[in-house]
Amino acid sequence: MVKNAVPRPLDLAHHIAGRSVGSPRTFTSRNPAHRDQVVAVVARGGAEEVNLAVQAARSALPGWRRTPWPVRGEILLRAAELLAARKEELARLMTREMGKVLTESRGDVQEAIDMGRFIAGAGRRAFGETVPSELPDKWAMTVRQPLGVVGCITPWNFPIAIPSWKIFPAVMAGNTVVFKPAEDTPACAMAFVEVLEAAGLPPGVVNVVFGMGEECGAEVVAHPGVDAVSFTGSVATGRVVAETCGRLLKKVSLELGGKNGIVVLADADLELALDGALWGGFGTSGQRCTATSRVIVERPVLDAFTHAFAERVAGLRLGDGLEEGVTVGPIVNQRQLERVDSYTRSGRAEGARILVGGEVATEGRLAEGWFYRPTVYADVSPQMRIAQEEIFGPAVAVIPAPDADSAIGIANGTAYGLSLSIYTRDLARAFHAMSDLEAGIVYVNAPTIGAEIQLPFGGVKQTGNGHREAGSAALDEFSEWKSIYVDYSGRLQRAQIDTSR
Ligand code: UN1
């Protein structure tokens, strides 16, 4: 093969009970840096394929939940090691399929490796409680139980890491899975499931159905054979998922949008804050739930910060993420590109100044893809739409704050609460912020992105519905507690009654 030749498009069928299942209709996954390059031609599933996948997951359930936890853990550990062995290949596929620069794609695969290694340990550490009973000769304890068949619906922005947050703990806890990945990243999803099966996961434990949200994802959510749903995506879709699950009384965990912000106080190390805002705002082209899309700057340092920030942003290099030296990749698709641009128009109309960027980039080979120039909005007031709504692109709003307290107020003043950060050298201020910032994740002197899998991930307010993924919360999402009492006294003992004095 010629070096750098474009690989042939993959042909992707659904993966049900370990076998390929096609659909009459297909869709394509494209390289966002060169939209004429088709990465995969993919089966487009609906109710029928979802039904097959649910049946396969239900059939696999009794055997899988009886498989001992440590045995399940060993399979997951092997999967993590296989991911590590294939890291470079998977990272390249990811950059081709959704555009993030290669170093970040490697990080995405690494996050899945970390998650696999972490959760595999639960095989021998899935502790319950043993608590003394109030009655003699009676035993009281808890054990974790699987939920049953879990529907996992995942986004395109972390196409291997986010499936790993869900699927690793779901199968660790003894559930079987119907996996509906985002339509922009089917090849990454399939590669992840191939790794799981190569590691020894029995067929039918994880089944993949490809398709569109309304046609396919909605069927997974509503299917009576799906016991619980884990969804990461937009607030609008999350609401629909929650409504359906509410009606059907299914356990549902939602990880939705963010409007994350960095607070820069006057005493901050400005260089450090600039580095943080640049990485937090423009890493993954701003397409992270955790992306820094606001920087709230205390007046005394506003001009110095804004000027230096705009200069650094202008120096970022747009391009194909596989190319050396490129720091910002494309936007995942045309719809998202238009969405980002519509926010620039909105910002302008509301009186923000566009310091750099603010347009689609089309020079040279950039015209082949969906590229948006890294953008800084200045003079942004907290009520503007660009300061309130999730943009999910390479655009950061700089918002002036008269003092430290109002900066915290502005940071908290959105409907979301995923990730917030503060840059300050003042220890007391940092500790106050740790308590006062309304977010599931808080950073001090670090940007809003870069969560590690050993701590719980998730947010407050409209970012979710109170669940967390990964960390010590990983199994909670995918298991239920069963409280068990064993009375070996040989007589009827009445709790609360025979004990009362
Ligand atoms: C996401 O954008 O949905 O904390 C996940 C981070 C990454 C995960 C982001 N580790 O930025």
Side-chain angles (χ1 to χ4, degrees):
M1 206 170 88
V2 191
K3 195 163 173 275
N4 292 331
V6 179
R8 287 167 52 83
L10 299 165
D11 237 318
L12 295 181
H14 314 291
H15 189 73
I16 298 174
R19 280 192 292 272
S20 295
V21 174
S23 287
R25 293 186 303 164
T26 57
F27 64 97
T28 53
S29 144
R30 288 166 185 278
N31 182 339
H34 310 280
R35 56 180 172 258
D36 290 342
Q37 290 178 14
V38 173
V39 175
V41 179
V42 191
R44 179 168 172 172
E48 202 175 308
E49 294 83 349
V50 168
N51 193 38
L52 289 175
V54 174
Q55 280 173 19
R58 293 228 77 87
S59 309
L61 185 59
W64 183 244
R65 59 175 292 164
R66 266 200 313 273
T67 304
W69 282 74
V71 176
R72 298 200 294 251
E74 279 161 26
I75 294 174
L76 296 188
L77 187 59
R78 257 197 312 276
E81 297 318 317
L82 283 177
L83 284 174
R86 291 180 60 185
K87 180 172 170 179
E88 190 60 21
E89 169 213 340
L90 293 173
R92 286 180 177 273
L93 173 67
M94 189 181 296
T95 296
R96 283 202 300 119
E97 191 168 46
M98 58 67 70
K100 66 171 82 172
V101 297
L102 189 55
T103 43
E104 292 191 43
S105 292
R106 290 185 187 124
D108 189 309
V109 180
Q110 187 58 47
E111 196 157 340
I113 298 167
D114 297 344
M115 189 66 199
R117 288 177 178 158
F118 172 75
I119 207 71
R124 291 184 192 272
R125 295 177 60 87
F127 304 127
E129 297 166 282
T130 309
V131 184
S133 163
E134 65 186 41
L135 291 158
D137 297 337
K138 190 179 172 192
W139 194 265
M141 65 185 169
T142 63
V143 293
R144 280 192 192 273
Q145 297 274 285
L147 305 174
V149 173
V150 178
C152 295
I153 304 178
T154 58
W156 47 264
N157 67 332
F158 275 80
I160 293 188
I162 292 182
S164 86
W165 296 358
K166 298 187 191 300
I167 294 172
F168 278 147
V171 300
M172 183 70 252
N175 303 280
T176 56
V177 171
V178 175
F179 175 23
K180 205 304 264 177
E183 56 264 32
D184 291 292
T185 50
C188 289
M190 194 61 233
F192 178 64
V193 174
E194 273 166 21
V195 164
L196 284 171
E197 292 197 356
L201 197 75
V205 173
V206 176
N207 306 278
V208 189
V209 200
F210 297 114
M212 308 297 128
E214 324 78 58
E215 290 171 9
C216 185
E219 297 290 336
V220 174
V221 174
H223 198 294
V226 171
D227 299 292
V229 175
S230 176
F231 171 82
T232 299
S234 70
V235 169
T237 310
R239 251 185 241 286
V240 177
V241 171
E243 276 166 14
T244 308
C245 290
R247 194 158 29 80
L248 300 172
L249 295 177
K250 287 186 189 184
K251 181 166 177 171
V252 57
S253 65
L254 304 170
E255 163 50 39
L256 310 174
K259 189 66 189 175
N260 317 292
I262 287 178
V263 170
V264 181
L265 295 188
D267 74 336
D269 177 338
L270 267 201
E271 281 300 307
L272 194 64
L274 284 163
D275 286 344
L278 201 70
W279 171 230
F282 300 97
T284 326
S285 303
Q287 302 173 112
R288 293 195 190 207
C289 308
T290 51
T292 305
S293 66
R294 301 177 293 155
V295 187
I296 302 137
V297 190
E298 214 183 336
R299 276 271 178 225
V301 289
L302 179 67
D303 287 344
F305 179 89
T306 310
H307 180 75
F309 188 49
E311 210 170 81
R312 291 208 189 181
V313 173
L316 293 170
R317 221 186 106 205
L318 262 186
D320 180 337
L322 286 177
E323 272 168 34
E324 204 70 42
V326 165
T327 43
V328 180
I331 301 290
V332 72
N333 60 35
Q334 175 77 31
R335 197 179 59 249
Q336 288 295 121
L337 185 70
E338 280 166 14
R339 183 187 151 90
V340 177
D341 199 41
S342 78
Y343 276 106
T344 296
R345 286 198 300 278
S346 155
R348 207 174 259 131
E350 288 192 279
R353 260 185 322 134
I354 317 295
L355 287 189
V356 273
E359 58 184 5
V360 174
T362 53
E363 71 272 17
R365 294 200 70 189
L366 296 183
E368 293 174 18
W370 294 297
F371 287 96
Y372 203 77
R373 247 183 251 300
T375 300
V376 178
Y377 309 125
D379 299 340
V380 176
S381 63
Q383 296 75 32
M384 289 181 189
R385 284 183 56 214
I386 51 169
Q388 287 292 329
E389 296 175 21
E390 184 172 51
I391 299 176
F392 227 64
V396 176
V398 179
I399 308 175
D403 54 50
D405 287 341
S406 43
I408 300 286
I410 293 168
N412 288 340
T414 75
Y416 297 106
L418 182 55
S419 180
L420 291 171
S421 138
I422 185 162
Y423 279 78
T424 179
R425 288 181 170 113
D426 182 328
L427 193 64
R429 286 245 180 248
F431 269 82
H432 281 300
M434 281 153 56
S435 144
D436 295 343
L437 288 171
E438 294 166 3
I441 305 168
V442 166
Y443 290 93
V444 176
N445 292 332
T448 59
I449 69 174
E452 302 174 28
I453 59 87
Q454 63 274 29
L455 287 192
F457 183 95
V460 301
K461 301 198 271 187
Q462 288 187 17
T463 290
N465 63 343
H467 288 273
R468 294 289 182 273
E469 301 197 286
S472 55
L475 290 174
D476 295 340
E477 192 185 352
F478 299 104
S479 62
E480 276 176 318
W481 287 113
K482 183 179 275 175
S483 300
I484 302 175
Y485 301 94
V486 182
D487 191 323
Y488 55 97
S489 68
R491 61 182 187 279
L492 173 68
Q493 300 199 88
R494 299 172 303 173
Q496 293 91 38
I497 295 169
D498 294 342
T499 51
S500 53
R501 274 158 285 276

